[in-house]
Amino acid sequence: MEIGYVILYVGDLAASVGFYRDVVGLAYKFTDAGYAEFDAGGVRFALYERRRAEWLTGRAVTPGAGGEVVVMVPDVDAYAERLRVAGVPVLSGPADRPWGHRTVHVADPDGFVVEFAEEIPRARGRL
């Protein structure tokens, strides 16, 4: 078993495509019928217009920060500077985390939390 897709339901597809392409830096593949897809390595990362998602789910869907998208990067501090230059408000970080990541957090146009993480030595062992 493997995860094939991660799809976020978004309010403004163009704004979200711009964020994930230009700010996050994912390789944009295509947009078709309210759906946009990116090359994110071993999993397909996609965006789908929230207004169309109701057709799929049979009910209204709401945005939110009930989860986060984690993007592994080689240098969190360089990404934090890239975010600052782009005018993206930083929610937290950069900060070293005890589980072995240096992170910086931002919100996408729909309020989903996006974490940029760099692996660093763990400050604590696993329980």
Side-chain angles (χ1 to χ4, degrees):
M1 180 182 322
E2 65 183 33
I3 294 175
Y5 291 79
V6 173
I7 302 171
L8 300 181
Y9 299 149
V10 301
D12 182 336
L13 187 62
S16 293
V17 165
F19 178 84
Y20 284 97
R21 181 192 59 223
D22 303 335
V23 175
V24 175
L26 294 179
Y28 171 74
K29 291 172 70 177
F30 67 88
T31 297
D32 183 37
Y35 173 88
E37 191 171 294
F38 298 82
D39 183 354
V43 66
R44 290 184 180 121
F45 180 79
L47 307 169
Y48 192 58
E49 289 180 327
R50 189 177 320 115
R51 66 182 181 83
R52 295 175 188 242
E54 191 170 322
W55 171 80
L56 289 175
T57 63
R59 64 183 61 157
V61 295
T62 57
E68 71 179 15
V69 175
V70 179
V71 180
M72 300 304 294
V73 298
D75 184 344
V76 160
D77 294 290
Y79 263 79
E81 178 60 16
R82 176 180 171 183
L83 295 166
R84 186 192 66 73
V85 168
V88 177
V90 171
L91 301 175
S92 72
D96 292 346
R97 308 299 180 178
W99 52 85
H101 284 162
R102 181 164 176 76
T103 66
V104 63
H105 294 85
V106 300
D108 80 359
D110 285 276
F112 289 105
V113 175
V114 178
E115 173 186 299
F116 294 91
E118 169 187 355
E119 290 195 20
I120 61 172
R122 292 177 61 86
R124 67 175 189 215
R126 295 197 186 272
L127 299 176

